[in-house]
Amino acid sequence: MRQKNFMLHTLYFCTGLLLLAGAGCKKRDVADLQPATFPNRAEVFIDDFTGDLAYAAFGGSDVRAFQVDKTVAYGGTAASMRFEVPDANSPNGSYAGGVFLSKTGRNLSGYNAISFYIKASQPATIGVVGFGNDFGENKYLVSQNGLPVNSNWKKVIIPIPDPSKLTAERGLFYYSTGPEAGRGYTFWIDEVRFEKLGDIGHGSAAILNGVDKQQISFTGVSTTIDGFSATYNLPTGINTTLNVSPAYFKFSSSVPSVASVTDKGVVTTIGGGTTKVTATLDTIHARGSLTINSSGAYVGAPTPTRDAANVTSVFSDAYPNINVDYYNGYWAPFQTTQSADFTVGSDHVLNYTNFNFVGIQVTSPTVNIGSRANLHMDLYLPDNITPGATFKVRVLDFGANGAPGGGDDVSDIVSFTAPFLTARNWLSIDIPFSSLPGLSTKAHFGQLIFEGTNISNFFADNIYFWSNPVVPTVAAPVPTQPAANVLSVFSNSYTNISGTDFFPNWGQSTVVTQVPIAGNNTLRYTNFNYQGLQMAAGQNLSTYQFLHLDYYSANAGALNVYLICPPGSPGGTAPWEKAFTLNVPTAGWNSVDIPLSHFTPQVALSNVFQFKFDGGTGSDIYLDNIYFWKIPPVPPVPAPTPTYPAASVISIFSDAYTNVAGSDLNPNWGQATVVTQTPIGGNNTLVYTGLNYQGLQFGSNQNVSGKTFLHLDYYTANSTSLKVYIISPGPVETPYTLTVPTTSGWNSLDIPLTAFAPVALNNVFQMKFDGNGTIYLDNILFR
């Protein structure tokens, strides 16, 4: 029974009051004062209250549950304590419970147990009995849970773990219990006294329920040890296990510079390293320990910056949180996940250990997240990522009945694996609801469930649902493509083709306007169902490679963009249009470059005359920087200059280092490729024109087994396939596929040498490239 928010109802049984008074005062030296002493009276209730005894009922209990009974007593004595347990839902209180207090305090250090006799009107189980509850600190609390009783008197003995500590104890006895199967009953207690028994055997003690626990920690994190117990052999030969307070234990930290521990069992990490916290009870070494593995200074999750008006927070210090039932449901019998949440300064962090799955539940009430578009959480994995590691997030809506398992629940799940999952750094996860199609309703959000494979522990912070404001607060990114390579339809950054109709009458419900966003002219579609865009004449896009557009929508459920050519256009085919699906809703402006090859063969790129957008009915769409562009055939700038220390590099081709002498950059392997070297921005650059394949022969065999990466910079405007190989004698060769074309200028790539297994890295003598197009290469080196 929980004992919080007590309401005191005190009945004093005493025969008189001792009044201290005097006719005058005499000044005394402080040095003459002696420590206060307290009476060592053993009796608590023997036929009646002792003179210093008072009773106080727990809040929410039946305050009249306790009475002195002069008709029932043990062994023919005059009276006993009678406790009437109420029925369930009784208006007088839901249980019986209270404390018997000494008004002055007693010195109980000469005793080693409290004993009493007990019986009941029926077989029952008393929830808890004990001593040390004083309605204050309860520093030396001891309790026995689940005490079985019946209609026969029996003696109960509760040992004192360390009597030497009880020199001024006020909490002499307490109890708390509820009805049996909803119905109340009566029980009696008599002959309550402290005793000095010679036949109590010390058994064992435990902290953390006797478990040796490991915990990852950081400087400033405090953890409170719990699970305290002591087991004794009673004079009857039966062992009894008691719950005891931490004040009876003496704690120690094996490396105090890593973590300290207070007399209340509060462990505070103060530095990096490992320490083991153990405890003793009197002379007994307690089972269980806490090993702290500290990483030192704590680096928290990124502080969220989204406007609170667009956030529904489940767990975050940055926003008001919704009412959560629990952050760990401890769903038996299959869940193994435990919680070890911690706080650093004002930063609260969820910490899940021994993880297999865990749930966060919201039912009081469920929450409508229909106006949100994404789930965010920050995830930290403190252990190394093992093969097969998977982290899953499930979002569950309880349906109209607002309860789990009611037949109308809907949910969906997303999974994360390596390489996204990395160890010992915060991973910010944003899950758009569009990736959760099974979450068909969002009006009664009830649970978040995390599931894991090969992940033992994780931290979580800043768990919230969010959406962008309907109107973007910043302009679309300013494009950087050179104007000479652009054919612009709508952009402030370029000269647009003239005569475009942005609102052709195609029977749509969409309202089209142009609005300034942070000073930048932006195309806006409201009440959107579909919308066309008619160019004044067909455009020949055959020399261009990409369609670029920037788009923003906080509330679209779907969005597609089409290119259209006139029916019958040579090079096209019915239906003369083709869609590209855009990801919505957006997390800010989305910038997309769509290969024009995507729209073929339906669209004749030599005669494109219309755009079309369709998708999320009734939504709001913002568009900017709609243009076609091409990669310059020759890189306009040189490759980036590498900055690796020369001593750590084996260079094959680079102006920045001394290259391996005698290398043949164009060995005759029967290839069609034309090989040249050309200066770009004053930097010598290797050019492959009309590539089919091309070799590169080192001046001497190279041992690169002590290196980690093959680095190269490459550029191509027209390649659709490109691979690089390293080769050892045999020959043994393995390809690595490069991304082409290079849409953002030079691509600088570091390829792990492990990707080329089983090549003998201690004896590499050749490289090879194959693919197509014109390729520019620089800074080919091992590092």
Side-chain angles (χ1 to χ4, degrees):
M1 185 72 67
R2 294 179 68 89
Q3 298 158 9
K4 295 178 70 176
N5 303 319
F6 296 126
M7 179 173 61
L8 286 174
H9 297 270
T10 305
L11 306 174
Y12 293 100
F13 293 78
C14 53
T15 56
L17 296 175
L18 176 62
L19 302 178
L20 299 178
C25 295
K26 179 180 179 181
K27 183 177 179 180
R28 299 178 60 189
D29 194 301
V30 174
D32 295 334
L33 297 178
Q34 299 297 315
T37 58
F38 296 87
N40 61 356
R41 186 170 186 173
E43 296 81 6
V44 178
F45 185 95
I46 308 292
D47 295 336
D48 206 343
F49 271 51
T50 53
D52 65 336
L53 198 64
Y55 173 73
F58 291 144
S61 72
D62 185 342
V63 299
R64 300 293 177 184
F66 163 68
Q67 302 290 333
V68 174
D69 190 330
K70 295 185 179 296
T71 62
V72 176
Y74 170 74
T77 56
S80 67
M81 299 190 293
R82 184 178 73 238
F83 303 93
E84 297 178 352
V85 181
D87 290 342
N89 302 315
S90 167
N92 297 324
S94 60
Y95 70 102
V99 174
F100 294 87
L101 296 161
S102 168
K103 291 177 283 185
T104 60
R106 294 191 192 180
N107 183 350
L108 304 175
S109 61
Y111 309 104
N112 63 358
I114 185 173
S115 67
F116 56 89
Y117 289 86
I118 187 170
K119 77 169 188 173
S121 59
Q122 65 177 53
T125 300
I126 308 300
V128 61
V129 292
F131 62 89
N133 189 323
D134 58 7
F135 275 146
E137 186 180 0
N138 299 337
K139 185 173 183 179
Y140 296 114
L141 192 71
V142 175
S143 64
Q144 180 175 342
N145 293 344
L147 176 65
V149 295
N150 56 35
S151 58
N152 300 312
W153 287 105
K154 76 170 184 178
K155 186 175 184 178
V156 176
I157 297 172
I158 301 177
I160 300 173
D162 185 352
S164 67
K165 297 182 179 295
L166 303 187
T167 57
E169 183 57 52
R170 296 183 64 244
L172 302 184
F173 183 76
Y174 83 101
Y175 75 101
S176 179
T177 195
E180 297 276 332
R183 301 306 301 270
Y185 63 96
T186 301
F187 67 95
W188 293 264
I189 292 178
D190 201 0
E191 303 289 311
V192 185
R193 58 165 58 87
F194 290 91
E195 295 190 76
K196 178 71 171 180
L197 301 175
D199 47 3
I200 293 179
H202 286 277
S204 63
I207 64 174
L208 297 168
N209 298 314
V211 176
D212 294 317
K213 291 188 175 182
Q214 300 265 341
Q215 182 171 309
I216 296 168
S217 189
F218 302 91
T219 301
V221 173
S222 293
T223 301
T224 301
I225 293 175
D226 57 14
F228 300 98
S229 65
T231 300
Y232 297 90
N233 186 258
L234 300 179
T236 58
I238 296 173
N239 286 339
T240 184
T241 298
L242 308 175
N243 297 315
V244 299
S245 73
Y248 287 103
F249 288 80
K250 182 178 180 180
F251 301 93
S252 64
S253 171
S254 62
V255 185
S257 61
V258 174
S260 62
V261 56
T262 70
D263 59 0
K264 295 181 180 179
V266 178
V267 180
T268 300
T269 304
I270 56 180
T274 298
T275 187
K276 188 174 185 178
V277 177
T278 56
T280 56
L281 176 62
D282 198 2
T283 60
I284 303 172
H285 177 75
R287 293 178 293 108
S289 63
L290 178 63
T291 297
I292 296 290
N293 298 304
S294 171
S295 300
Y298 174 73
V299 177
T303 301
T305 58
R306 293 186 171 95
D307 190 332
N310 302 314
V311 168
T312 301
S313 181
V314 177
F315 181 87
S316 179
D317 291 319
Y319 304 108
N321 296 315
I322 59 177
N323 188 31
V324 174
D325 299 347
Y326 50 72
Y327 292 103
N328 186 342
Y330 296 100
W331 294 332
F334 302 109
Q335 178 181 325
T336 62
T337 309
Q338 299 295 309
S339 288
D341 305 338
F342 61 86
T343 303
V344 181
S346 59
D347 188 5
H348 297 80
V349 182
L350 297 176
N351 180 14
Y352 296 108
T353 63
N354 200 27
F355 172 57
N356 64 339
F357 63 88
V358 66
I360 298 173
Q361 181 162 291
V362 178
T363 62
S364 304
T366 58
V367 176
N368 186 347
I369 56 172
S371 64
R372 305 305 180 206
N374 309 272
L375 167 64
H376 176 92
M377 71 175 292
D378 292 313
L379 171 71
Y380 187 101
L381 301 175
D383 301 317
N384 291 332
I385 304 300
T386 58
T390 304
F391 185 82
K392 298 181 181 180
V393 181
R394 180 182 295 276
V395 184
L396 194 147
D397 186 284
F398 285 159
N401 67 3
D408 57 352
D409 299 358
V410 294
S411 71
D412 211 337
I413 193 167
V414 292
S415 299
F416 300 91
T417 59
F420 174 78
L421 296 180
T422 56
R424 290 178 288 280
N425 61 278
W426 283 100
L427 306 173
S428 290
I429 296 173
D430 285 286
I431 303 170
F433 286 167
S434 59
S435 67
L436 299 168
L439 191 67
S440 54
T441 64
K442 306 173 188 69
H444 306 89
F445 163 67
Q447 281 181 352
L448 273 177
I449 301 173
F450 305 124
E451 304 173 25
T453 302
N454 293 344
I455 295 175
S456 298
N457 308 291
F458 74 94
F459 308 154
D461 202 354
N462 301 317
I463 304 171
Y464 59 82
F465 300 99
W466 64 277
S467 58
N468 275 314
V470 173
V471 180
T473 57
V474 297
V478 177
T480 59
Q481 297 298 335
N485 302 316
V486 168
L487 178 66
S488 180
V489 178
F490 182 91
S491 177
N492 276 7
S493 297
Y494 304 107
T495 300
N496 300 318
I497 58 177
S498 61
T500 301
D501 184 355
F502 293 101
F503 191 33
N505 183 9
W506 292 0
Q508 68 272 26
S509 66
T510 308
V511 177
V512 180
T513 55
Q514 296 185 36
V515 295
I517 302 293
N520 189 62
N521 197 36
T522 305
L523 196 59
R524 178 174 67 183
Y525 296 164
T526 57
N527 196 31
F528 174 70
N529 63 338
Y530 64 90
Q531 181 59 46
L533 191 157
Q534 175 79 49
M535 291 176 279
Q539 301 296 315
N540 184 355
L541 307 178
S542 57
T543 62
Y544 293 88
Q545 295 165 288
F546 300 96
L547 165 64
H548 175 93
L549 58 89
D550 297 311
Y551 66 100
Y552 178 106
S553 179
N555 53 16
L559 183 61
N560 304 299
V561 59
Y562 300 72
L563 290 185
I564 308 173
C565 67
S569 297
T573 184
W576 316 104
E577 66 179 29
K578 187 174 181 182
F580 182 88
T581 300
L582 302 171
N583 291 324
V584 287
T586 62
W589 283 98
N590 271 16
S591 297
V592 62
D593 291 287
I594 307 167
L596 290 177
S597 58
H598 169 83
F599 298 99
T600 61
Q602 290 86 350
V603 178
L605 295 179
S606 61
N607 193 20
V608 174
F609 78 131
Q610 290 175 340
F611 286 80
K612 183 176 72 174
F613 296 87
D614 69 15
T617 302
S619 55
D620 301 272
I621 312 294
Y622 291 82
L623 298 166
D624 201 358
N625 302 316
I626 305 171
Y627 59 82
F628 305 99
W629 67 281
K630 57 190 173 184
I631 302 171
V634 177
V637 296
T641 301
T643 58
Y644 312 118
S648 68
V649 166
I650 297 175
S651 179
I652 308 302
F653 182 89
S654 176
D655 280 355
Y657 302 101
T658 300
N659 299 317
V660 172
S663 294
D664 185 352
L665 302 181
N666 191 16
N668 183 9
W669 292 358
Q671 67 273 21
T673 309
V674 176
V675 179
T676 57
Q677 297 184 45
T678 186
I680 294 179
N683 189 61
N684 198 34
T685 305
L686 191 61
V687 185
Y688 294 163
T689 304
L691 173 70
N692 63 335
Y693 63 91
Q694 179 61 43
L696 195 157
Q697 176 78 47
F698 300 168
S700 57
N701 293 19
Q702 299 297 310
N703 181 358
V704 299
S705 60
K707 306 303 180 186
T708 306
F709 299 100
L710 166 65
H711 175 93
L712 56 88
D713 296 310
Y714 67 101
Y715 179 104
T716 177
N718 60 2
S719 177
T720 59
S721 174
L722 183 60
K723 296 177 182 178
V724 60
Y725 303 68
I726 63 174
I727 307 171
S728 60
V732 179
E733 60 181 47
T734 301
Y736 185 90
T737 300
L738 305 175
T739 300
V740 289
T742 52
T743 58
S744 301
W746 284 94
N747 273 14
S748 294
L749 191 63
D750 287 291
I751 307 169
L753 291 176
T754 54
F756 295 101
V759 171
L761 296 179
N762 64 348
N763 194 19
V764 175
F765 75 124
Q766 291 174 338
M767 292 180 64
K768 183 176 73 173
F769 294 84
D770 67 25
N772 56 39
T774 298
I775 313 296
Y776 291 80
L777 295 165
D778 201 359
N779 302 315
I780 304 171
L781 56 90
F782 298 94
R783 69 174 188 87

